Amino acid sequence: QVQLVESGGGLVQAGGSLRLSCAASDRTFSGNAMGWFRQAPGKEREFVAAISRSGYSTRYLDSVKGRFTISRDDAKNTVYLQMNTLKPEDTAVYYCAGAWGRFTIATRSDEYGYWGQGTQVTVSS
């Protein structure tokens, strides 16, 4: 059973930065597309960013383009989400997701089979 463990969330002022990390327990991590989703109180979970198996392709939610960057380090079985110029509307629980066996970008939650427990990101104004 693959486990994904997120870290790096916290409280930050608007305009600040955070880097989320997601470590996979399985060494087959390098063969899979990965993504980040978020869910704010009272809202549905939404796609934030995704990266292909190779790492060469990425995709972002329009509202985070130019501010967030997804990356992966296969040697460490870890995917990252660098979040800059954070805004109060970025406040949410952020979830890491893995699409085992998938090479290409995945943007729908039903394309992912493995999920982390979530990490809270709170941006104060």
Side-chain angles (χ1 to χ4, degrees):
Q1 181 73 8
V2 175
Q3 290 187 321
L4 301 175
V5 180
E6 300 103 332
S7 60
L11 173 64
V12 64
Q13 288 188 333
S17 298
L18 285 174
R19 187 176 81 155
L20 305 184
S21 299
C22 172
S25 62
D26 195 290
R27 59 184 176 181
T28 63
F29 169 86
S30 62
N32 313 289
M34 301 294 295
W36 287 94
F37 289 73
R38 68 186 181 186
Q39 187 167 18
K43 296 187 177 180
E44 294 187 353
R45 188 173 298 188
E46 67 176 352
F47 166 78
V48 175
I51 189 166
S52 64
R53 171 189 177 183
S54 67
Y56 291 127
S57 296
T58 57
R59 192 167 299 169
Y60 298 91
L61 176 69
D62 283 348
S63 62
V64 308
K65 285 180 181 177
R67 300 189 298 121
F68 290 12
T69 302
I70 188 172
S71 62
R72 63 190 298 155
D73 185 339
D74 290 345
K76 296 182 178 180
N77 291 347
T78 300
V79 63
Y80 303 97
L81 185 68
Q82 177 67 44
M83 304 186 296
N84 298 328
T85 319
L86 282 161
K87 303 176 180 180
E89 52 263 44
D90 294 318
T91 295
V93 177
Y94 283 71
Y95 297 91
C96 169
W100 251 242
R102 185 183 177 105
F103 297 172
T104 56
I105 294 284
T107 61
R108 299 196 321 266
S109 58
D110 63 0
E111 294 177 308
Y112 289 89
Y114 294 97
W115 293 84
Q117 81 287 353
T119 186
Q120 177 70 46
V121 171
T122 303
V123 184
S124 63
S125 56

